[in-house]
Amino acid sequence: MRILHTSDWHIGRTFHGHSTLAALAEVLGALVDQVREHDVDVVIVAGDVFDSATPAASAYTLLDETLLALHETGATVIMTSGNHDSAARLGFHSRLLRDGIHVLTDPLAIATPVTVHDVHGPVHFFGIPYLEPAIVRQHWTDAEGNAPALRTQAQVMQHAMGLVREGMVAHQGRSVAVAHCFAAGVDATVGLEREVRQGGLDMVPLASFDRPDYVALGHIHGRQQLSERVRYSGAPLHYSFGEQHKERGSWLVDLDADGLASTQWLSLPVPRALVTLTGALDEILSDQNAAAHADDWVCAVYTDPVTQHEPMRRLRERLPFCALVQHQPEGADAGDERSYAQRLRGAVTDTERIEAFLEHVRSGQGATERETELIREVLDERVRAEALV
């Protein structure tokens, strides 16, 4: 059986105020082409289908068009809900879908798989929606109606995987688990989902995912291999400049009669490249950059000693898709974190107070020699004016 593992579509998300719907539609169209080209049997979407619990109508339109296109390839589609999705809304939407498209959002149904057959027999897909401990533990009660003490992501995921293993006993054959969580061992440099906190309480141990032949994870926006069987596919589109150097794509997974046979990375196109330009503002505005990056999303980090006038307007005149501007003065005293009030405590004269103000608003950069002369002239003029009163 051939499986395509994708996740974190985040339909409806914006990129620094710009809609991503058209770009995502292009990428998902390429993904559909890959499904057809590689004769994929099952497409897994491991959570965060939408970016919001209340997506706009245009987001539903893109999802419906993509699901219809995937269905026409002959592949079965299995989706789970992520922390950005409304499980209730996504689950309701699933009732309107045709055969071969499954949306798994019910924590009470984790042990009940979606079963797809190939020449070697059944493959059971167990979907684990994003689990919020305070919400789901009330659904998992024992015979006496007592809820288990589940307070962390690690605990609820371990409980959920226990249900998966119970389902594996009841449904013999090969198995695939689909989940949306932050697993221990993830490299934080590849782009963490913005709501995830790094820390022991929110990390799911890798050992929790023992037993299934393959575990398709979502939540992290860059591809990662935690073990041969446990992987993140990442998001199909870049959603931040921190992800700009990371490939976009999905995992092509083959199962044979004995379980996992092979995995292959399939790259997806990047509709508009992301680039970070660092230097003095005039350097960033150079003809060379304007020609090379006219069609790129640009993050401009300008290093001039002082804040420049209307930098975004000037940048967009040369770089139409400049999305972010940051001022990071070169050589600024980044280690001096004193507040303005603290800087003022040692200032006695007006000149010293002005110097303290300039250092505060310029990240440690005080007045230049010429500015010092101007400050002195203004203060002297004030003294002369007061003397005439």
Side-chain angles (χ1 to χ4, degrees), residues 109-157:
I110 289 174
T112 304
V114 172
T115 301
V116 182
H117 290 80
D118 66 4
V119 295
H120 301 297
V123 177
H124 306 294
F125 293 82
F126 296 89
I128 304 174
Y130 179 77
L131 302 173
E132 187 63 47
I135 296 175
V136 298
R137 64 171 174 256
Q138 62 185 316
H139 298 304
W140 292 330
T141 56
D142 57 24
E144 287 74 35
N146 300 315
L150 305 176
R151 293 184 171 82
T152 68
Q153 276 284 299
Q155 290 171 339
V156 295
M157 280 300 302

Side-chain angles (χ1 to χ4, degrees), residues 321-357:
F321 296 100
C322 182
L324 183 64
V325 178
Q326 296 177 346
H327 181 215
Q328 295 181 8
E330 190 173 22
D333 185 5
D336 189 349
E337 298 180 353
R338 290 178 298 164
S339 67
Y340 181 43
Q342 290 171 328
R343 292 177 189 271
L344 281 177
R345 286 172 188 165
V348 177
T349 66
D350 287 341
T351 301
E352 291 171 338
R353 295 188 183 97
I354 294 171
E355 180 73 9
F357 172 77

Side-chain angles (χ1 to χ4, degrees), residues 127-305:
I128 304 174
Y130 179 77
L131 302 173
E132 187 63 47
I135 296 175
V136 298
R137 64 171 174 256
Q138 62 185 316
H139 298 304
W140 292 330
T141 56
D142 57 24
E144 287 74 35
N146 300 315
L150 305 176
R151 293 184 171 82
T152 68
Q153 276 284 299
Q155 290 171 339
V156 295
M157 280 300 302
Q158 286 170 343
H159 186 88
M161 284 302 301
L163 296 175
V164 168
R165 283 184 276 273
E166 290 177 11
M168 291 172 61
V169 172
H171 301 83
Q172 293 296 311
R174 294 158 294 167
S175 60
V176 174
V178 186
H180 194 85
C181 64
F182 178 29
V186 166
D187 178 5
T189 64
V190 301
L192 289 174
E193 172 53 65
R194 59 180 176 240
E195 277 79 9
V196 175
R197 298 188 309 275
Q198 289 190 63
L201 294 181
D202 287 334
M203 292 167 55
V204 180
L206 184 58
S208 299
F209 302 110
D210 287 348
R211 293 279 304 280
D213 294 290
Y214 184 76
V215 179
L217 296 180
H219 209 10
I220 306 301
H221 285 187
R223 71 171 182 181
Q224 293 211 30
Q225 176 182 335
L226 303 186
S227 75
E228 191 62 30
R229 300 177 308 101
V230 183
R231 298 169 186 254
Y232 285 95
S233 64
L237 195 66
H238 290 113
Y239 287 117
S240 74
F241 282 102
E243 304 169 16
Q244 68 188 64
H245 300 300
K246 309 303 177 183
E247 265 196 289
R248 303 289 88 172
S250 51
W251 289 110
L252 188 65
V253 180
D254 281 318
L255 301 182
D256 61 16
D258 298 320
L260 181 63
S262 66
T263 56
Q264 177 186 350
W265 178 253
L266 297 182
S267 295
L268 285 169
V270 178
R272 193 179 301 284
L274 282 71
V275 63
T276 298
L277 302 178
T278 303
L281 187 59
D282 287 342
E283 295 173 3
I284 296 175
L285 293 169
S286 68
D287 291 341
Q288 180 179 358
N289 280 332
H293 303 294
D295 295 321
D296 298 341
W297 288 120
V298 172
C299 170
V301 182
Y302 71 95
T303 58
D304 302 68

